[in-house]
Amino acid sequence: MTEVAGGPSVPEPSEIRALKQCLLCRNHSREQHGVAASCLEELRRKACDILAIDKSLAPVTLVLAEDGTIVDDDDYFLCLPANTKFVALAGNEKWAYNNSDGGTAWITQESFDGDETDSGAGLKWKNVARQLKEDLSSIILLSEEDLQMLIDVPCSELAQELSQSRVAVQGLQNTLQQVLDQREEARQSKQLLELYLRALEKEGSILLKQQESKAGLGDERDAVDTGIGESSSEIALRSQILTALKEKAAPELSLSSQDLQLVAKEDPKALAVALNWDIKKTEAVQQTCNQELSLRLQQVQSLYSLRSISARKSSLPGEVQNPKQARRDPT
């Protein structure tokens, strides 16, 4: 029997997205709801229904409950671990930190930046380990600090937290060290490139062009300085992020993907004031952070695609027997 043309088509296995478990709540509310969604748009629709948000207040914006990061594309949504908590903002609502989430928003608490207790440090590495347990590809999204923290955890403790053998966990820590080494190599390569460019500038032609542009930069810097009272109050970055931007060579390699998104979306003038930089240097760093974030998301998406292809191949019919195994029977 032939299938009637124009009938509903069966989606390919690679097109079927797995449901991601999420938590939803309203701003300033302790009540939260567990939902499952395969994409960001589906999560928005369910948020409107479950949280009884009036359609006249659309569009609804979803942000991370822990730090208010806006989640506005499916690539970033797919990279988040299961049971991520979202706050639904309707109309002109703005996210505000709520410490009633049972302690899951520790990374946004400024007080923990300079005075973190031993118990807090233990909770931190366990949270990062659980994130890896949910999705191993999130290694790409971790900051250098998180990578080093998991490397330093005793192998036996990490194995117990991940429910894996010590041999497997030792291999995981070796992989984490390789990722950390690759970022350091990339940083050193950028530093060498900067030294080479500086040497070229001393030859004359590039240096002259740079001196001509500095006259315009002075005016831009004055314009930024006049807005200190207005812009500095709007800066939303943690002190750790600002410190990394100021002190680290190639700071985009040190930051987590969430931090990179915060830097890329920050107002350039406000960020320039906070860092005491000129606007041109600030915009260049923001562009670099945005490029690094895009690269990491592409890497994660590639891993998901490879998993989908692998799962599809393993489910194809007619591959139960192995031809090589059939040849082993001489009789």
Side-chain angles (χ1 to χ4, degrees):
M1 181 180 293
T2 59
E3 186 176 347
V4 178
S9 60
V10 179
E12 295 291 334
S14 59
E15 298 176 353
I16 301 177
R17 292 185 178 180
L19 293 174
K20 182 186 290 291
Q21 297 293 330
C22 307
L23 297 174
L24 286 173
C25 68
R26 291 300 301 271
N27 216 12
H28 306 295
S29 174
R30 297 192 179 199
E31 184 178 0
Q32 60 186 27
H33 304 268
V35 298
S38 60
C39 64
L40 195 57
E41 184 58 34
E42 182 181 359
L43 186 61
R44 285 197 187 99
R45 292 196 303 268
K46 291 187 176 182
C48 291
D49 295 338
I50 294 174
L51 301 176
I53 299 176
D54 193 334
K55 293 183 179 180
S56 64
L57 299 176
V60 172
T61 302
L62 296 176
V63 302
L64 298 181
E66 60 184 10
D67 61 5
T69 300
I70 297 175
V71 182
D72 55 5
D73 62 75
D74 278 330
D75 288 339
Y76 186 42
F77 172 71
L78 292 174
C79 295
L80 295 172
N83 296 317
T84 296
K85 186 175 179 180
F86 296 88
V87 176
L89 303 178
N92 295 323
E93 284 185 332
K94 293 187 177 181
W95 173 84
Y97 172 69
N98 186 353
N99 63 359
S100 62
D101 61 354
T104 57
W106 52 267
I107 62 171
T108 63
Q109 300 180 32
E110 196 72 29
S111 60
F112 279 77
D113 291 346
D115 186 21
E116 182 172 306
T117 62
D118 292 338
S119 59
L123 176 63
K124 186 174 181 179
W125 77 258
K126 289 183 178 180
N127 283 337
V128 178
R130 293 189 190 107
Q131 183 178 347
L132 287 186
K133 189 176 181 180
E134 293 285 347
D135 185 2
L136 194 59
S137 63
S138 61
I139 290 176
I140 300 171
L141 308 176
L142 296 180
S143 66
E144 288 185 329
E145 179 185 358
D146 290 341
L147 291 170
Q148 188 62 59
M149 181 171 52
L150 289 181
I151 293 171
D152 294 337
V153 173
C155 184
S156 58
E157 294 183 23
L158 188 56
Q160 182 178 1
E161 183 65 32
L162 296 177
S163 302
Q164 297 286 338
S165 67
R166 295 189 62 174
V167 175
V169 170
Q170 185 62 58
L172 173 62
Q173 289 183 313
N174 291 339
T175 301
L176 295 174
Q177 185 63 58
Q178 290 175 4
V179 173
L180 199 60
D181 292 342
Q182 288 172 357
R183 293 192 187 181
E184 180 60 31
E185 290 174 1
R187 177 183 290 107
Q188 293 177 2
S189 297
K190 287 189 175 184
Q191 288 177 317
L192 289 174
L193 180 59
E194 289 176 359
L195 291 174
Y196 175 71
L197 293 176
R198 289 174 186 172
L200 289 179
E201 289 176 359
K202 292 181 180 179
E203 293 182 2
S205 59
I206 298 180
L207 182 58
L208 290 176
K209 292 181 181 179
Q210 187 182 28
Q211 289 174 344
E212 292 173 358
S213 65
K214 282 184 178 180
L217 280 179
D219 295 335
E220 289 184 353
R221 186 176 300 175
D222 292 339
V224 172
D225 290 341
T226 59
I228 290 179
E230 180 180 348
S231 302
S232 61
S233 60
E234 299 177 359
I235 196 78
L237 300 182
R238 294 183 296 133
S239 60
Q240 286 184 344
I241 301 178
L242 296 175
T243 301
L245 293 174
K246 287 182 180 179
E247 300 180 357
K248 292 281 188 179
E252 71 277 4
L253 300 175
S254 302
L255 299 175
S256 67
S257 295
Q258 289 185 359
D259 292 342
L260 289 173
Q261 187 185 35
L262 290 175
V263 173
K265 291 188 174 183
E266 187 59 69
D267 178 65
K269 291 184 179 180
L271 186 58
V273 172
L275 295 172
N276 196 25
W277 286 354
D278 59 68
I279 192 69
K280 188 174 181 180
K281 180 178 180 181
T282 303
E283 290 177 342
V285 169
Q286 285 184 298
Q287 183 179 4
T288 303
C289 288
N290 194 37
Q291 291 172 348
E292 176 66 19
L293 177 62
S294 299
L295 177 61
R296 294 187 192 180
L297 292 179
Q298 288 173 7
Q299 290 173 338
V300 172
Q301 194 63 33
S302 298
L303 288 175
Y304 279 119
S305 299
L306 290 174
R307 289 179 183 175
S308 178
I309 294 172
S310 177
R312 185 178 176 184
K313 286 184 178 180
S314 63
S315 62
L316 289 175
E319 295 186 358
V320 178
Q321 291 185 346
N322 189 328
K324 292 184 179 180
Q325 291 179 349
R327 295 173 188 171
R328 293 178 182 175
D329 295 329
T331 59

